[in-house]
Amino acid sequence: MTEFRAPRHLLSIDDLGANGIREAMSLAEAFAEVERRVIPKVPALRGKVVATLFFEDSTRTRLSFESAAKRLSCDVLTFNAGTSSLKKGESLRDTVEVIEAMGADAVVIRHSCSGTPVQVSRWVSRARVINGGDGSHEHPTQALADCLTVRQVIAERQGVEPDSLGVECFNGLRVLIVGDIAHSRVARSQVLAYTTLGARVTLCAPGTLLPGNVESWPVGVAGDLDAAIKETDVVSLLRLQRERGSGTYVPSLREYTQGWGLTARRASLLKKETIITHPGPMVRGVEIASDVADMEQSVVKRQVTNGVAVRMAVLFLLLATSDARGGIQRG
Ligand code: CP
């Protein structure tokens, strides 16, 4: 593989490519070790300022970016849209410029409108922009956390260190993504990440919740979930994005669960090695049965834990000086 150069911004998984995903996962493993220390903090980004601008609700992404920034010794600016001067008519562009003028080195943005992080990246002069999830477009750091988690499970089964597997363990891995693909930014980033690493991705959803241009995606489409889940190594469940109107695309939640949910009956069809992932937030009893979410094969909590290490890795990739990089790589 060619040498990886960190992108200026992280707007899409495409900004990383296979080399960048490998580098981010390698750094994340180093930072996961930091997290296990008694004092889980390193001075790697001391003096840097990270601003979190969330215009949509979030638990995992906002908290994990803020936790990641603090563990790297950054200062954190938490922007709350509901109590900000946006309410007085200030524009998003002026808001971003104000935050950059206060010294933000990185801006993590979540917005309901696809493309907002790209737009913000054109307005900043110095700060790095990280996509924390934009509309139904992308959620790159979630896909990185998912890949990291899957690789850790594979490594544990083989009794090796995760990083020793590189990204070759994804080659030919069968990944089934089930649910509201049409409205899911996680699905788009997962498809990019997994297929970039050589995995074979299959989508399974009601026809109304498949993207209109799915033929142009590098994936297969399965019509029969019962058959598809018997043949997969990873099954990724997605929530119905009701805030994006998904409720109107299915007859009822009950019918959705019967047809497309990972119920206890369906989970019994999985191979015992199949890894169950869910980016959260889960709606227990709809896309995943509560008991299934807590099965040993489910790595949902681990995805959340890994979310902090992955976001440390992304902040480090975008903000660290070459001296700091050398320090981390030397361990
Ligand atoms: N997976 C995810 O983005 O969760 P939050 O909406 O809680 O950030």
Side-chain angles (χ1 to χ4, degrees), residues 128-149:
R128 309 302 180 105
V129 179
I130 302 171
N131 184 354
D134 61 327
S136 54
H137 174 228
E138 276 216 51
H139 194 351
T141 55
Q142 180 64 52
L144 290 175
D146 300 348
C147 289
L148 187 77
T149 307

Side-chain angles (χ1 to χ4, degrees), residues 104-319:
D105 296 291
V107 174
V108 182
I109 183 157
R110 167 170 291 191
H111 204 285
S112 58
C113 182
S114 300
T116 302
V118 173
Q119 187 60 57
V120 169
S121 74
R122 294 181 184 134
W123 292 333
V124 292
S125 55
R126 187 186 53 82
R128 309 302 180 105
V129 179
I130 302 171
N131 184 354
D134 61 327
S136 54
H137 174 228
E138 276 216 51
H139 194 351
T141 55
Q142 180 64 52
L144 290 175
D146 300 348
C147 289
L148 187 77
T149 307
V150 166
R151 187 177 73 165
Q152 282 176 358
V153 175
I154 295 170
E156 275 168 19
R157 289 176 183 164
Q158 296 181 13
V160 298
E161 288 299 319
D163 210 28
S164 72
L165 294 176
V167 290
E168 283 68 27
C169 60
F170 291 95
N171 204 14
L173 193 77
R174 294 167 302 179
V175 178
L176 178 67
I177 305 177
V178 184
D180 183 4
I181 318 281
H183 301 100
S184 174
R185 53 195 174 213
V186 172
R188 282 168 180 76
S189 289
Q190 283 181 332
V191 167
L192 281 175
Y194 282 125
T195 58
T196 296
L197 301 180
R200 287 157 44 200
V201 176
T202 303
L203 309 181
C204 195
T208 49
L209 293 177
L210 280 171
N213 61 346
V214 71
E215 311 77 36
S216 63
W217 290 30
V219 298
V221 177
D224 180 352
L225 180 56
D226 282 9
I229 59 173
K230 289 179 190 161
E231 301 295 331
T232 192
D233 302 307
V234 177
V235 57
S236 170
L237 281 310
L238 298 172
R239 179 177 64 89
L240 274 177
Q241 306 263 311
R242 281 190 271 179
E243 69 274 31
R244 283 176 244 292
S246 300
T248 59
Y249 292 82
V250 294
S252 69
L253 286 185
R254 195 168 151 181
E255 282 167 87
Y256 177 80
T257 302
Q258 275 175 0
W260 310 99
L262 190 56
T263 58
R265 180 193 68 77
R266 277 206 182 95
S268 71
L269 303 174
L270 292 167
K271 294 183 295 167
K272 69 175 183 347
E273 304 81 25
T274 300
I275 303 166
I276 302 170
T277 71
H278 193 310
M282 286 187 291
V283 185
R284 290 174 183 257
V286 178
E287 73 274 11
I288 187 165
S290 191
D291 288 351
V292 176
D294 297 328
M295 278 168 64
E296 211 176 319
Q297 283 167 265
S298 160
V299 293
V300 176
K301 285 193 191 132
R302 200 160 169 170
Q303 289 170 269
V304 175
T305 304
N306 279 332
V308 178
V310 154
R311 281 147 189 145
M312 289 173 82
V314 166
L315 289 171
F316 188 83
L317 270 179
L318 297 191
L319 295 180

Side-chain angles (χ1 to χ4, degrees), residues 54 57-62 110 132 139 142 185-186 279-281:
F54 278 56
D57 297 342
S58 167
T59 298
R60 279 149 285 267
T61 311
R62 186 201 274 272
R110 167 170 291 191
H139 194 351
Q142 180 64 52
R185 53 195 174 213
V186 172

Side-chain angles (χ1 to χ4, degrees), residues 1-7 10 13 15-32 144 147-148 151 162-163 165-168 170 196-197 309-318 320-322 324-330:
M1 287 197 181
T2 53
E3 194 192 339
F4 169 68
R5 286 187 54 151
L10 179 59
I13 281 287
D15 293 325
L16 294 173
N19 281 352
I21 298 171
R22 175 199 288 263
E23 178 77 8
M25 290 207 297
S26 183
L27 278 169
E29 285 298 346
F31 287 128
L144 290 175
C147 289
L148 187 77
R151 187 177 73 165
D163 210 28
L165 294 176
V167 290
E168 283 68 27
F170 291 95
T196 296
L197 301 180
V310 154
R311 281 147 189 145
M312 289 173 82
V314 166
L315 289 171
F316 188 83
L317 270 179
L318 297 191
T321 60
S322 50
R325 280 174 207 281
I328 288 286
Q329 272 148 13
R330 283 191 298 275

